[in-house]
Amino acid sequence: MIDLPLTDKTHDEGRQGEALVIGAPEIRNGRKLYIESYGCQMNFADSEIVASILKDQGFETTGDYKEADVVFINTCSIRENAEQRVRNRLSQFSAEKRKNPKLVVGVLGCMAERLKSKFLEEEKLVDVVVGPDAYRDLPQLIGQVEEGHKAINVLLSREETYADISPVRLNGNGITAFISIMRGCDNMCSFCVVPFTRGRERSRDPHSILAEAQDLVDKGYKEVTLLGQNVDSYKWKGADAEEGAEIEVNFAQLLEKVALLSPELRVRFSTSHPKDITDEVLYTIAKYDNICNYIHLPVQSGSSRVLELMNRTYTREWYINRVDAIRRIIPGCAISSDIIAGFCTETEEEHQETLSMMDYVGYDFAFTFSYSERPGTLAARKLEDDIPEPVKKRRLAEILLKQQETSLYRLQQFVGTMQRILVEGTSKKSDKDFCGRNDQNAMVVFPAVEGVKAGTYVNVHVDRCTSATLLGTVVVEEPEII
């Protein structure tokens, strides 16, 4: 069996449940914060905002919840197994709270909004529940708990973007960082809880985004990923900081502004929506060498009828048109995807359409799931989850096998080529090897050589590959003889 390479960072399984540890604040209040995160990049970026807010209040962080005064778990509601993980952790925290009654336990993020009454009143697992738009209220809410009250704020906002808060970089390598450019989502996909848990879409002031990116450049960071539920619908309108005139900035223009900050700064972004990604964005990527040739473009299904039931607002033909545009404008661009097997009423023929779409696109990698009904979504209210679990599992296995074969084929195309790699650090398997990603987001592992360190760019000759990784050798350029 070939392993599926999960080299995309949209939902990094390796980071699920990761606890942050950051430097101590300048002024300490003698209290310790433990926070761990689940879900997508947006959740991890939100934890950085929470850390910044509480660091300003004097909190120190700890990697051990047993020595904490406040324990937060930042949650995800996208998949059922994510919720189960969170419940299991809350049970552990509750056991610790019985030993230490003063311990404050809270749930942040998407599950907080959706399961607030269950957590607080029915199951009595937590003291505080805070939604994604209410993190500024955390100091006050913690104070309410300390006075003997349960605390909750899950109000969604049409304005909150946390633009003025400089995130504390969690467990950062000092090389790569995420920048949230927008919050919420207006796409009411019938299977998705995000519009209900994160609210309406709003774009962040581009001046604050550029200031954050410039600060990262000044601190030596070499790569940023611009984050949004749907980055292609980014749009900000307001006064120009210098001239005062009204300006409007779309995603292509924002992407260009970030790329122009430094030619040494790699720029990535996630996630794109097939209905919104424009040729202007594609030409911007093609224009700048430091904008990575990698696009995460979730298809979800290859069937137009199923896409309509999903309320994805595009057809099979539209998606193919966008893929063709990517291939034409950015030759060699890597494309990844999300695919759902066994959505409501999906027929065997429609499943085959998804497989044929995979053949047409040739995804470099993909996140694949069997459909899991999420309470509160349009699909849960209007559609019957009528595909038997054995059928879902079989269809998912067929999708997974095809993706494994295609991923291996895509990696094999790099063998024998020279790749420019941003060194991220030592390999997980050996401290004698370095690892980093190429422009197309494929992981490359190579023996450590003198003079090469994390945060530098190196040329690596790809000698071979596994099903998930490129393996190569650093090519040291000979100095010119004058």
Side-chain angles (χ1 to χ4, degrees), residues 176-191:
T176 64
F178 298 129
I179 299 178
S180 294
I181 66 169
M182 58 200 302
R183 299 182 70 83
C185 185
D186 287 347
N187 297 311
M188 299 297 291
C189 299
S190 64
F191 55 80

Side-chain angles (χ1 to χ4, degrees), residues 80 292 386 415 475:
E80 188 174 2
C292 292
D386 59 352
V415 175
V475 177

Side-chain angles (χ1 to χ4, degrees), residues 32-270:
K32 292 187 177 181
L33 165 71
Y34 175 89
I35 178 171
E36 66 181 39
S37 307
Y38 294 84
C40 66
Q41 296 168 331
M42 294 294 293
N43 271 23
F44 286 86
D46 277 2
S47 290
E48 295 178 348
I49 290 170
V50 170
S52 180
I53 291 170
L54 293 183
K55 185 178 181 181
D56 286 346
Q57 298 293 313
F59 277 87
E60 257 186 283
T61 54
T62 174
D64 181 0
Y65 71 86
K66 293 182 180 180
E67 64 178 31
D69 300 285
V70 175
V71 170
F72 284 142
I73 184 166
N74 196 351
T75 61
C76 172
S77 278
I78 297 298
R79 290 181 282 175
E80 188 174 2
N81 66 344
E83 290 196 5
Q84 193 53 50
R85 282 184 184 180
V86 168
R87 287 181 181 279
N88 292 341
R89 287 300 277 162
L90 286 175
S91 296
Q92 292 177 284
F93 298 155
S94 295
E96 187 63 26
K97 187 174 176 65
R98 286 193 289 272
K99 301 177 189 175
N100 176 16
K102 291 184 178 180
L103 177 66
V104 176
V105 178
V107 168
L108 313 176
C110 297
M111 277 179 70
E113 198 287 327
R114 197 171 71 76
L115 298 175
K116 48 189 179 289
S117 58
K118 276 185 173 292
F119 284 150
L120 276 176
E121 298 158 15
E122 295 176 31
E123 301 175 22
K124 302 187 187 306
L125 289 172
V126 299
D127 306 300
V128 58
V129 175
V130 185
D133 290 347
Y135 297 141
R136 293 181 193 270
D137 206 21
L138 277 169
Q140 176 187 332
L141 295 172
I142 292 171
Q144 287 181 28
V145 174
E146 291 170 341
E147 292 172 2
H149 306 289
K150 297 291 185 181
I152 182 171
N153 187 342
V154 293
L155 294 175
L156 295 175
S157 168
R158 287 177 178 265
E159 289 83 32
E160 181 62 85
T161 63
Y162 300 108
D164 61 320
I165 294 176
S166 179
V168 175
R169 303 296 165 181
L170 307 186
N171 303 332
N173 55 13
I175 300 164
T176 64
F178 298 129
I179 299 178
S180 294
I181 66 169
M182 58 200 302
R183 299 182 70 83
C185 185
D186 287 347
N187 297 311
M188 299 297 291
C189 299
S190 64
F191 55 80
C192 186
V193 298
V194 168
F196 306 104
T197 59
R198 285 189 170 271
R200 297 297 299 273
E201 186 177 279
R202 61 272 189 200
S203 297
R204 182 178 160 189
D205 177 348
H207 309 304
S208 68
I209 296 170
L210 293 172
E212 185 176 334
Q214 183 63 59
D215 181 61
L216 289 168
V217 171
D218 294 342
K219 290 176 178 175
Y221 281 78
K222 294 296 180 67
E223 179 181 291
V224 296
T225 300
L226 307 181
L227 290 182
Q229 301 297 147
N230 175 15
V231 292
D232 296 294
S233 63
Y234 175 91
K235 185 174 288 186
W236 183 88
K237 191 173 184 179
D240 181 86
E242 296 179 0
E243 299 179 6
E246 282 286 308
I247 60 167
E248 189 170 296
V249 179
N250 63 21
F251 180 60
Q253 293 162 339
L254 177 68
L255 195 57
E256 180 175 50
K257 290 176 185 293
V258 176
L260 286 170
L261 290 177
S262 169
E264 291 297 298
L265 180 69
R266 267 188 174 177
V267 184
R268 300 186 187 274
F269 57 89
S270 185

